[in-house]
Amino acid sequence: MSSDAPRVRRLDAQSLMGIAHPLRMRLLSSLRERGPATASQLAEWLGESSGATSYHLRQLAAFGFVEDDPDRGTGRERWWRSAYDSTLVDGTSEVLDHADPRVRGALHLYQQEVAAYHALEQAGFLGSFDEWPESWREASDLSDFTLNLTAGQARELVGRLHTIIEEYRAAAPETDGTHPVRVHLHAFPRPPEPSE
């Protein structure tokens, strides 16, 4: 794995409108996880038609999320790759205060699709849990914690966890014995329990 800093796409109102579509988000995730591919390969992986994957890849390219892979392909075969390693919604208040309701809706759709994809990934792992060696079963985690924090403390906690993850990304070479490890971070406030 490269120690270069990850390429992060910060989402704004315009780019949210381009990515907030279930198939586009799945296409982008597949390119990030599996590497460059053609529209036909992606269609096979995702159980979609190549016409649909081709159209949505072009839409992702128009918004700068994917690009041609110059190391692959011929005149007849177009290979795509992700232009970024990850996406990040910065300043949700700006999006939620946007005058265009489609922009607000795009944020909600994007967030719901990310949460659904995380749940699907976790379910997939749990479905094959007994097939993994003991060392990997013991290294996995399915925990939850409730902390009483201020908004500032919660933001600091998330930032520190991101820093730790980036330190591991930078230090982790691809060698025998390594596997891609997905780390999902969900941090959100809950209303207090009603008092008796």
Side-chain angles (χ1 to χ4, degrees), residues 104-175:
R104 297 189 302 272
L107 174 62
H108 291 297
L109 175 65
Y110 176 82
Q111 291 172 321
Q112 291 296 325
E113 286 298 317
V114 169
Y117 188 71
H118 287 183
L120 185 63
E121 282 188 318
Q122 186 70 55
F125 170 69
L126 294 175
S128 65
F129 187 76
D130 59 341
E131 299 169 18
W132 285 91
E134 181 182 2
S135 60
W136 280 107
R137 289 193 307 264
E138 296 300 320
S140 68
D141 185 50
L142 187 59
S143 298
D144 63 271
F145 307 92
T146 301
L147 308 169
N148 288 318
L149 304 173
T150 65
Q153 289 171 319
R155 189 169 182 89
E156 178 186 348
L157 173 62
V158 169
R160 289 175 65 188
L161 292 171
H162 280 226
T163 298
I164 291 168
I165 290 167
E166 289 309 320
E167 288 171 2
Y168 274 86
R169 184 194 312 261
E174 289 182 9
T175 61

Side-chain angles (χ1 to χ4, degrees), residues 14-182:
Q14 178 82 17
S15 56
L16 266 169
M17 296 291 286
I19 195 174
H21 184 282
L23 181 53
R24 291 180 197 168
M25 292 177 69
R26 289 172 52 216
L27 288 166
L28 190 55
S29 290
S30 292
L31 290 172
R32 287 181 181 156
E33 292 172 24
R34 299 177 89 166
T38 65
S40 296
Q41 289 171 320
L42 287 160
E44 184 177 331
W45 296 343
L46 300 175
E48 297 285 342
S49 73
S50 59
T53 57
S54 182
Y55 170 79
H56 287 291
L57 283 164
R58 288 192 307 273
Q59 293 301 307
L60 286 168
F63 285 92
F65 289 103
V66 300
E67 59 193 11
D68 286 315
D69 185 342
D71 298 330
R72 294 184 169 84
T74 63
R76 298 176 143 213
E77 187 176 57
R78 190 172 189 182
W79 283 72
W80 298 93
R81 68 180 183 191
S82 176
Y84 296 91
D85 299 312
S86 64
T87 50
L88 173 67
V89 178
D90 248 354
T92 54
S93 294
E94 290 177 24
V95 176
L96 290 175
D97 293 338
H98 200 279
D100 188 341
R102 294 175 301 162
V103 172
R104 297 189 302 272
L107 174 62
H108 291 297
L109 175 65
Y110 176 82
Q111 291 172 321
Q112 291 296 325
E113 286 298 317
V114 169
Y117 188 71
H118 287 183
L120 185 63
E121 282 188 318
Q122 186 70 55
F125 170 69
L126 294 175
S128 65
F129 187 76
D130 59 341
E131 299 169 18
W132 285 91
E134 181 182 2
S135 60
W136 280 107
R137 289 193 307 264
E138 296 300 320
S140 68
D141 185 50
L142 187 59
S143 298
D144 63 271
F145 307 92
T146 301
L147 308 169
N148 288 318
L149 304 173
T150 65
Q153 289 171 319
R155 189 169 182 89
E156 178 186 348
L157 173 62
V158 169
R160 289 175 65 188
L161 292 171
H162 280 226
T163 298
I164 291 168
I165 290 167
E166 289 309 320
E167 288 171 2
Y168 274 86
R169 184 194 312 261
E174 289 182 9
T175 61
D176 289 341
T178 64
H179 283 282
V181 173
R182 295 287 287 161

